Amino acid sequence: MVDYAAPVTRDKPVRVFILDDHELVRRGLAELLTSTDDVIIVGEAATAGDALRRIPAVAPDVALLDARLPTAAASMSAGRSAPHMRMSAA
C-alpha cells in the first residue's frame, strides 16, 4: 500500500506543463503548484496544438490537461512528443 502522506524525495523538482483554455485556471494552478520547491511550471498553453508544439522544447515530467477542452486528451495522446511524460486530465 502506498503511503500518500509520506514525503516524496527527488533530486530535482517535478516539471509540469499546463493545458487549459482559461488563463485564470492556468494561473491558479501554477500558483498553487509552485507554492513549494517540489514543482516548477515549464510551460502552458491554451490549445492542444500549442501544447504539442511547445512540449518537446520544455520536456515536462507531467502535463495537466483540461478534459473538457475539445481534442486535448486525444491530441496529446496521439502526439506523445515526450515519451517519459505522464498526463493527467481534470
XYZ file of all heavy atoms in Angstrom:
662
model
N 0.833 -1.176 0.000
C 0.000 0.000 0.000
C 0.886 1.251 0.000
O 1.887 1.315 0.694
C -0.920 -0.006 1.216
C -1.786 1.233 1.297
S -2.740 1.260 2.802
C -4.351 1.098 2.131
N 0.500 2.241 -0.776
C 1.262 3.481 -0.881
C 0.861 4.427 0.236
O -0.326 4.633 0.497
C 1.005 4.159 -2.249
C 1.712 5.485 -2.320
C 1.437 3.249 -3.370
N 1.845 4.999 0.893
C 1.588 5.992 1.937
C 1.641 7.373 1.294
O 2.703 7.932 1.084
C 2.631 5.867 3.038
C 2.412 6.873 4.161
O 1.400 7.614 4.125
O 3.251 6.916 5.071
N 0.474 7.913 0.959
C 0.408 9.199 0.265
C 0.810 10.367 1.159
O 1.078 11.451 0.672
C -0.990 9.426 -0.319
C -1.287 8.465 -1.442
C -2.113 7.380 -1.254
C -0.709 8.651 -2.689
C -2.374 6.498 -2.283
C -0.956 7.768 -3.729
C -1.791 6.700 -3.514
O -2.038 5.835 -4.538
N 0.838 10.169 2.461
C 1.240 11.237 3.373
C 2.757 11.323 3.510
O 3.285 12.327 3.972
C 0.607 11.011 4.742
N 3.450 10.278 3.103
C 4.907 10.274 3.218
C 5.514 11.230 2.202
O 5.039 11.332 1.075
C 5.440 8.865 2.984
N 6.536 11.961 2.596
C 7.161 12.888 1.651
C 7.856 12.148 0.509
O 8.403 11.073 0.702
C 8.176 13.644 2.500
C 8.419 12.784 3.687
C 7.172 11.959 3.890
N 7.805 12.731 -0.661
C 8.470 12.173 -1.829
C 9.833 12.842 -1.923
O 9.942 14.058 -1.832
C 7.667 12.445 -3.117
C 8.421 11.969 -4.334
C 6.304 11.776 -3.017
N 10.850 12.043 -2.099
C 12.186 12.626 -2.219
C 12.631 12.547 -3.669
O 12.540 11.510 -4.312
C 13.197 11.883 -1.325
O 13.174 10.504 -1.653
C 12.847 12.052 0.143
N 13.039 13.683 -4.187
C 13.528 13.792 -5.562
C 14.746 14.691 -5.545
O 14.845 15.604 -4.751
C 12.472 14.417 -6.472
C 11.314 13.515 -6.801
C 10.337 14.205 -7.732
N 10.919 14.736 -8.941
C 10.924 14.121 -10.117
N 10.404 12.942 -10.243
N 11.457 14.691 -11.173
N 15.641 14.447 -6.465
C 16.815 15.298 -6.587
C 16.484 16.637 -7.221
O 17.176 17.609 -7.023
C 17.883 14.611 -7.443
C 18.407 13.348 -6.776
O 18.233 13.191 -5.555
O 18.992 12.525 -7.490
N 15.400 16.658 -7.998
C 15.029 17.878 -8.701
C 13.508 18.018 -8.717
O 12.786 17.048 -8.532
C 15.585 17.865 -10.107
C 15.210 16.640 -10.909
C 15.931 16.585 -12.227
C 15.556 15.289 -12.940
N 16.186 15.178 -14.220
N 13.021 19.225 -8.946
C 11.567 19.441 -8.946
C 10.877 18.730 -10.112
O 11.483 18.446 -11.141
C 11.419 20.954 -9.106
C 12.766 21.536 -8.990
C 13.762 20.443 -9.155
N 9.591 18.464 -9.933
C 8.761 17.895 -10.994
C 8.468 19.016 -11.990
O 8.040 20.104 -11.614
C 7.440 17.338 -10.428
C 6.541 16.835 -11.547
C 7.722 16.235 -9.423
N 8.693 18.739 -13.259
C 8.479 19.729 -14.322
C 7.073 19.532 -14.894
O 6.761 18.460 -15.397
C 9.538 19.549 -15.408
C 10.966 19.721 -14.877
C 12.015 19.285 -15.877
N 11.855 19.892 -17.182
C 12.272 21.108 -17.524
N 12.892 21.846 -16.621
N 12.092 21.566 -18.743
N 6.243 20.576 -14.796
C 4.824 20.477 -15.153
C 4.481 21.415 -16.306
O 4.920 22.570 -16.343
C 3.941 20.820 -13.926
C 2.462 20.811 -14.294
C 4.211 19.845 -12.787
N 3.668 20.903 -17.228
C 3.110 21.701 -18.327
C 1.607 21.738 -18.126
O 0.984 20.705 -17.859
C 3.442 21.068 -19.680
C 3.099 21.941 -20.851
C 4.069 22.751 -21.425
C 1.815 21.982 -21.357
C 3.762 23.577 -22.493
C 1.502 22.800 -22.424
C 2.471 23.601 -22.994
N 0.989 22.926 -18.258
C -0.444 23.092 -18.035
C -1.137 23.435 -19.348
O -0.750 24.382 -20.029
C -0.727 24.194 -17.003
C -0.058 23.862 -15.667
C -2.229 24.399 -16.833
C -0.097 24.986 -14.652
N -2.178 22.670 -19.681
C -3.002 22.932 -20.866
C -4.426 23.196 -20.419
O -5.109 22.305 -19.901
C -2.965 21.740 -21.821
C -3.973 21.738 -22.971
C -3.842 22.990 -23.836
C -3.814 20.491 -23.815
N -4.875 24.436 -20.562
C -6.252 24.812 -20.244
C -6.579 26.064 -21.040
O -5.728 26.954 -21.178
C -6.412 25.087 -18.748
C -7.876 25.120 -18.341
O -8.617 26.032 -18.770
O -8.285 24.211 -17.605
N -7.793 26.143 -21.557
C -8.151 27.289 -22.383
C -8.500 28.539 -21.562
O -8.661 29.610 -22.115
C -9.298 26.949 -23.343
C -10.541 26.436 -22.652
O -10.434 25.947 -21.513
O -11.620 26.499 -23.268
N -8.575 28.416 -20.249
C -8.859 29.566 -19.388
C -7.583 30.044 -18.696
O -6.989 29.307 -17.912
C -9.910 29.203 -18.340
C -11.238 28.887 -18.936
N -11.631 27.592 -19.196
C -12.244 29.694 -19.345
C -12.837 27.613 -19.729
N -13.233 28.880 -19.838
N -7.189 31.258 -18.995
C -5.953 31.806 -18.411
C -6.010 31.835 -16.890
O -5.016 31.545 -16.218
C -5.692 33.214 -18.939
C -4.397 33.795 -18.418
C -4.099 35.176 -18.943
O -4.841 35.690 -19.792
O -3.092 35.755 -18.482
N -7.171 32.167 -16.340
C -7.307 32.228 -14.886
C -7.053 30.861 -14.245
O -6.412 30.763 -13.197
C -8.698 32.745 -14.501
C -8.950 33.008 -13.030
C -7.955 34.034 -12.493
C -10.365 33.506 -12.823
N -7.519 29.805 -14.880
C -7.279 28.447 -14.376
C -5.794 28.124 -14.449
O -5.212 27.592 -13.497
C -8.116 27.407 -15.156
C -7.722 25.986 -14.772
C -9.594 27.633 -14.926
N -5.165 28.448 -15.584
C -3.722 28.180 -15.720
C -2.936 28.920 -14.638
O -2.043 28.349 -14.006
C -3.223 28.583 -17.109
C -3.738 27.700 -18.221
C -3.009 27.926 -19.539
N -2.850 29.295 -19.937
C -3.703 29.974 -20.707
N -4.820 29.394 -21.139
N -3.453 31.226 -21.042
N -3.262 30.180 -14.438
C -2.551 30.968 -13.414
C -2.779 30.402 -12.017
O -1.853 30.337 -11.207
C -2.990 32.427 -13.456
C -2.250 33.207 -14.509
C -2.332 34.676 -14.212
N -3.308 35.273 -15.116
C -3.932 36.401 -14.895
N -3.733 37.076 -13.795
N -4.768 36.881 -15.782
N -4.026 30.015 -11.717
C -4.336 29.459 -10.400
C -3.602 28.159 -10.139
O -3.046 27.951 -9.052
N -3.601 27.272 -11.135
C -2.871 26.009 -10.986
C -1.374 26.257 -10.804
O -0.731 25.644 -9.956
C -3.096 25.109 -12.203
C -4.417 24.375 -12.264
C -4.601 23.724 -13.631
C -4.499 23.333 -11.163
N -0.833 27.162 -11.592
C 0.597 27.465 -11.488
C 0.934 28.019 -10.106
O 1.925 27.615 -9.486
C 1.006 28.448 -12.573
N 0.096 28.908 -9.610
C 0.323 29.492 -8.279
C 0.276 28.422 -7.201
O 1.131 28.361 -6.322
C -0.740 30.561 -8.008
C -0.548 31.310 -6.727
C 0.580 32.312 -6.789
O 0.922 32.771 -7.884
O 1.123 32.645 -5.716
N -0.721 27.568 -7.274
C -0.873 26.500 -6.294
C 0.293 25.514 -6.346
O 0.882 25.172 -5.320
C -2.188 25.757 -6.534
C -2.471 24.566 -5.636
C -2.696 25.038 -4.201
C -3.689 23.810 -6.134
N 0.635 25.071 -7.549
C 1.685 24.061 -7.691
C 3.066 24.572 -7.339
O 3.909 23.812 -6.861
C 1.677 23.508 -9.115
C 0.444 22.681 -9.478
C 0.437 22.380 -10.972
C 0.382 21.408 -8.668
N 3.333 25.830 -7.574
C 4.670 26.368 -7.300
C 4.801 26.943 -5.895
O 5.805 27.573 -5.585
C 5.065 27.432 -8.334
O 4.100 28.493 -8.314
C 5.172 26.838 -9.723
N 3.818 26.677 -5.052
C 3.904 27.162 -3.674
C 4.921 26.351 -2.861
O 5.215 26.685 -1.725
C 2.528 27.137 -2.999
O 2.046 25.817 -2.896
N 5.456 25.295 -3.449
C 6.531 24.523 -2.820
C 7.713 24.474 -3.792
O 7.587 24.837 -4.953
C 6.097 23.070 -2.519
O 5.968 22.365 -3.744
C 4.783 23.033 -1.764
N 8.825 23.996 -3.316
C 10.017 23.886 -4.163
C 10.036 22.601 -4.980
O 10.965 22.368 -5.746
C 11.283 23.937 -3.302
C 11.469 25.282 -2.631
O 10.954 26.290 -3.162
O 12.121 25.329 -1.571
N 9.011 21.756 -4.828
C 8.986 20.450 -5.470
C 8.467 20.472 -6.901
O 8.537 19.471 -7.599
C 8.122 19.473 -4.676
C 8.663 19.245 -3.273
O 9.865 19.461 -3.059
O 7.874 18.854 -2.396
N 7.899 21.598 -7.343
C 7.269 21.687 -8.661
C 7.697 22.975 -9.354
O 7.765 24.029 -8.724
C 5.723 21.680 -8.541
C 5.061 21.890 -9.888
C 5.231 20.391 -7.905
N 7.995 22.862 -10.645
C 8.193 24.055 -11.460
C 7.312 23.944 -12.695
O 7.106 22.855 -13.222
C 9.672 24.283 -11.863
C 10.220 23.100 -12.642
C 10.536 24.588 -10.673
C 11.584 23.350 -13.238
N 6.762 25.059 -13.120
C 5.942 25.102 -14.326
C 6.877 25.419 -15.483
O 7.512 26.474 -15.501
C 4.834 26.174 -14.214
C 3.991 25.957 -12.952
C 3.979 26.183 -15.482
C 3.318 24.609 -12.858
N 6.967 24.511 -16.432
C 7.890 24.704 -17.552
C 7.193 25.242 -18.794
O 7.850 25.628 -19.757
C 8.656 23.409 -17.892
C 9.574 23.022 -16.738
C 7.706 22.280 -18.250
N 5.851 25.260 -18.762
C 5.124 25.794 -19.901
C 3.641 25.680 -19.716
O 3.155 24.979 -18.830
N 2.936 26.414 -20.556
C 1.482 26.343 -20.553
C 0.975 26.692 -21.939
O 1.697 27.292 -22.734
C 0.885 27.273 -19.501
C 1.239 28.716 -19.660
C 0.619 29.576 -18.566
O 0.943 29.359 -17.396
O -0.183 30.463 -18.907
N -0.261 26.279 -22.200
C -0.874 26.551 -23.499
C -2.385 26.587 -23.332
O -2.940 25.989 -22.413
C -0.492 25.474 -24.507
N -3.046 27.297 -24.264
C -4.499 27.396 -24.261
C -5.138 26.403 -25.226
O -6.331 26.134 -25.136
C -4.929 28.816 -24.615
N -4.355 25.851 -26.142
C -4.882 24.891 -27.112
C -3.974 23.669 -27.183
O -2.774 23.751 -26.890
C -4.989 25.498 -28.528
O -3.667 25.722 -29.029
C -5.794 26.794 -28.538
N -4.559 22.542 -27.609
C -3.771 21.314 -27.747
C -2.683 21.485 -28.795
O -1.564 20.999 -28.631
C -4.677 20.140 -28.098
N -2.988 22.202 -29.867
C -1.982 22.433 -30.906
C -0.784 23.190 -30.384
O 0.365 22.835 -30.671
N -1.037 24.240 -29.600
C 0.072 24.995 -28.995
C 0.876 24.110 -28.051
O 2.103 24.168 -28.017
C -0.446 26.218 -28.235
C -0.895 27.334 -29.146
O -0.560 27.306 -30.358
O -1.583 28.254 -28.650
N 0.174 23.291 -27.274
C 0.868 22.404 -26.332
C 1.769 21.427 -27.067
O 2.923 21.213 -26.675
C -0.155 21.647 -25.483
N 1.269 20.843 -28.141
C 2.075 19.881 -28.899
C 3.318 20.525 -29.502
O 4.353 19.883 -29.639
C 1.232 19.238 -29.999
C 0.201 18.231 -29.506
C -0.731 17.823 -30.643
C 0.880 17.020 -28.905
N 3.230 21.798 -29.843
C 4.401 22.498 -30.379
C 5.396 22.870 -29.286
O 6.602 22.873 -29.515
C 3.964 23.760 -31.134
C 3.363 23.467 -32.506
C 3.092 24.738 -33.294
N 2.003 25.530 -32.744
C 0.701 25.297 -32.956
N 0.338 24.275 -33.693
N -0.212 26.079 -32.424
N 4.917 23.168 -28.093
C 5.791 23.647 -27.012
C 6.411 22.535 -26.175
O 7.525 22.684 -25.666
C 4.999 24.582 -26.099
C 4.591 25.845 -26.785
C 3.750 26.724 -25.895
N 3.299 27.891 -26.650
C 2.334 28.679 -26.271
N 1.708 28.450 -25.131
N 1.986 29.707 -27.009
N 5.699 21.446 -26.002
C 6.153 20.388 -25.091
C 7.526 19.812 -25.438
O 8.346 19.623 -24.536
C 5.079 19.292 -24.951
C 3.982 19.817 -24.032
C 5.652 17.981 -24.454
C 2.794 18.909 -23.881
N 7.849 19.548 -26.695
C 9.177 18.978 -26.970
C 10.326 19.873 -26.496
O 11.350 19.374 -26.046
C 9.197 18.838 -28.494
C 7.763 18.723 -28.878
C 7.021 19.608 -27.911
N 10.129 21.165 -26.534
C 11.202 22.081 -26.141
C 11.395 22.160 -24.627
O 12.508 22.403 -24.160
C 10.916 23.482 -26.690
N 10.332 21.944 -23.853
C 10.438 22.120 -22.405
C 10.528 20.811 -21.629
O 10.831 20.817 -20.444
C 9.276 22.987 -21.855
C 9.345 24.387 -22.427
C 7.934 22.355 -22.124
N 10.261 19.690 -22.284
C 10.409 18.351 -21.697
C 9.822 18.213 -20.290
O 10.534 17.950 -19.326
C 11.878 17.947 -21.683
N 8.497 18.358 -20.152
C 7.890 18.221 -18.817
C 7.855 16.763 -18.351
O 7.892 15.849 -19.165
C 6.467 18.743 -19.036
C 6.187 18.420 -20.459
C 7.495 18.616 -21.180
N 7.786 16.599 -17.034
C 7.568 15.267 -16.461
C 6.086 14.933 -16.472
O 5.702 13.772 -16.583
C 8.063 15.219 -15.009
C 9.545 15.505 -14.896
O 10.310 14.955 -15.705
O 9.931 16.282 -14.001
N 5.252 15.976 -16.323
C 3.809 15.815 -16.207
C 3.114 16.893 -17.025
O 3.557 18.041 -17.044
C 3.354 15.956 -14.728
C 1.838 15.900 -14.599
C 4.004 14.907 -13.863
N 2.010 16.522 -17.684
C 1.155 17.505 -18.356
C -0.225 17.424 -17.725
O -0.802 16.342 -17.618
C 1.063 17.224 -19.849
N -0.742 18.564 -17.290
C -2.093 18.646 -16.756
C -2.999 19.148 -17.865
O -2.756 20.224 -18.424
C -2.150 19.602 -15.563
C -1.312 19.217 -14.355
C -1.410 20.287 -13.279
C -1.752 17.871 -13.806
N -4.044 18.383 -18.191
C -4.923 18.716 -19.306
C -6.325 19.032 -18.825
O -6.836 18.380 -17.931
C -5.024 17.532 -20.278
C -3.761 16.818 -20.691
C -4.110 15.638 -21.580
C -2.833 17.766 -21.396
N -6.965 19.990 -19.468
C -8.379 20.268 -19.257
C -9.150 19.210 -20.040
O -9.148 19.225 -21.268
C -8.707 21.681 -19.753
C -10.175 22.031 -19.622
O -10.988 21.164 -19.257
O -10.514 23.195 -19.883
N -9.806 18.294 -19.345
C -10.507 17.188 -20.002
C -11.675 17.673 -20.856
O -12.104 16.983 -21.767
C -11.006 16.194 -18.961
N -12.177 18.863 -20.583
C -13.296 19.397 -21.357
C -12.838 20.203 -22.562
O -13.644 20.654 -23.351
C -14.186 20.256 -20.471
C -14.926 19.406 -19.435
C -15.707 20.258 -18.505
N -14.733 20.921 -17.629
C -14.993 21.982 -16.899
N -16.172 22.541 -16.919
N -14.071 22.500 -16.120
N -11.556 20.378 -22.717
C -11.027 21.102 -23.859
C -11.119 20.188 -25.079
O -10.560 19.088 -25.074
C -9.572 21.496 -23.603
C -8.896 22.394 -24.607
C -9.589 23.750 -24.683
C -7.434 22.591 -24.231
N -11.833 20.613 -26.110
C -12.001 19.748 -27.287
C -10.659 19.273 -27.844
O -9.745 20.057 -28.016
C -12.715 20.639 -28.298
C -13.360 21.700 -27.481
C -12.462 21.894 -26.277
N -10.550 18.010 -28.062
C -9.400 17.321 -28.656
C -8.139 17.317 -27.806
O -7.129 16.801 -28.228
C -9.042 17.888 -30.053
O -8.462 19.186 -29.908
C -10.226 17.928 -30.978
N -8.161 17.863 -26.610
C -6.936 17.945 -25.812
C -6.337 16.581 -25.520
O -5.191 16.304 -25.867
C -7.184 18.692 -24.509
N -7.107 15.716 -24.871
C -6.561 14.410 -24.485
C -6.189 13.579 -25.703
O -5.123 12.959 -25.741
C -7.561 13.659 -23.616
N -7.037 13.586 -26.720
C -6.754 12.794 -27.924
C -5.518 13.318 -28.636
O -4.648 12.548 -29.041
C -7.952 12.817 -28.864
N -5.425 14.625 -28.782
C -4.269 15.215 -29.463
C -2.981 14.952 -28.707
O -1.956 14.618 -29.284
C -4.456 16.719 -29.630
O -5.533 16.997 -30.468
N -3.031 15.118 -27.384
C -1.828 14.922 -26.587
C -1.407 13.457 -26.615
O -0.232 13.147 -26.700
C -2.063 15.384 -25.150
C -2.312 16.871 -25.040
S -0.897 17.859 -25.526
C 0.209 17.483 -24.190
N -2.369 12.544 -26.541
C -2.032 11.121 -26.579
C -1.424 10.753 -27.923
O -0.458 10.002 -28.007
C -3.272 10.268 -26.331
O -3.709 10.439 -25.016
N -2.005 11.277 -28.980
C -1.500 10.983 -30.322
C -0.119 11.586 -30.518
O 0.741 10.988 -31.156
C -2.464 11.521 -31.375
N 0.097 12.759 -29.953
C 1.364 13.459 -30.133
C 2.505 12.839 -29.367
O 3.607 12.699 -29.867
N 2.271 12.458 -28.141
C 3.286 11.880 -27.247
C 4.700 12.312 -27.619
O 5.607 11.503 -27.787
C 3.194 10.361 -27.232
C 1.995 9.809 -26.506
C 1.760 10.425 -25.149
N 2.824 10.153 -24.229
C 2.667 9.706 -23.019
N 1.466 9.470 -22.567
N 3.682 9.504 -22.240
N 4.879 13.620 -27.720
C 6.168 14.163 -28.108
C 7.205 14.071 -26.994
O 8.369 14.347 -27.216
C 6.002 15.613 -28.563
O 5.284 16.337 -27.592
N 6.790 13.705 -25.803
C 7.712 13.494 -24.688
C 7.355 12.140 -24.077
O 6.505 12.058 -23.201
C 7.576 14.619 -23.674
N 7.961 11.053 -24.540
C 7.562 9.704 -24.129
C 7.611 9.457 -22.623
O 6.856 8.660 -22.111
C 8.554 8.797 -24.842
C 9.209 9.617 -25.870
C 9.039 11.052 -25.487
N 8.490 10.151 -21.892
C 8.599 9.954 -20.456
C 7.525 10.708 -19.684
O 7.320 10.477 -18.507
C 9.973 10.420 -19.977
C 10.136 11.903 -20.059
N 10.361 12.552 -21.258
C 10.042 12.853 -19.111
C 10.430 13.855 -21.029
N 10.227 14.063 -19.738
N 6.803 11.618 -20.344
C 5.839 12.500 -19.698
C 4.578 11.738 -19.307
O 4.089 10.906 -20.055
C 5.478 13.636 -20.655
C 4.445 14.588 -20.127
S 4.035 15.860 -21.337
C 3.171 14.892 -22.580
N 4.053 12.050 -18.137
C 2.776 11.499 -17.675
C 1.712 12.566 -17.871
O 1.972 13.747 -17.691
C 2.852 11.129 -16.196
C 3.918 10.110 -15.883
C 3.549 8.768 -16.494
N 4.564 7.778 -16.203
C 5.272 7.180 -17.127
N 5.106 7.461 -18.391
N 6.164 6.288 -16.812
N 0.493 12.149 -18.240
C -0.587 13.100 -18.456
C -1.690 12.872 -17.438
O -1.963 11.746 -17.055
C -1.161 12.947 -19.867
C -0.187 13.352 -20.938
S -0.919 13.315 -22.571
C -1.115 11.574 -22.822
N -2.322 13.964 -17.030
C -3.455 13.900 -16.122
C -4.509 14.846 -16.620
O -4.239 16.032 -16.832
C -3.024 14.276 -14.699
O -4.145 14.295 -13.850
N -5.711 14.344 -16.866
C -6.817 15.188 -17.311
C -7.756 15.437 -16.152
O -8.093 14.532 -15.401
C -7.564 14.503 -18.468
N -8.140 16.677 -16.000
C -9.055 17.036 -14.904
C -10.179 17.893 -15.431
O -10.095 18.516 -16.431
C -8.298 17.784 -13.825
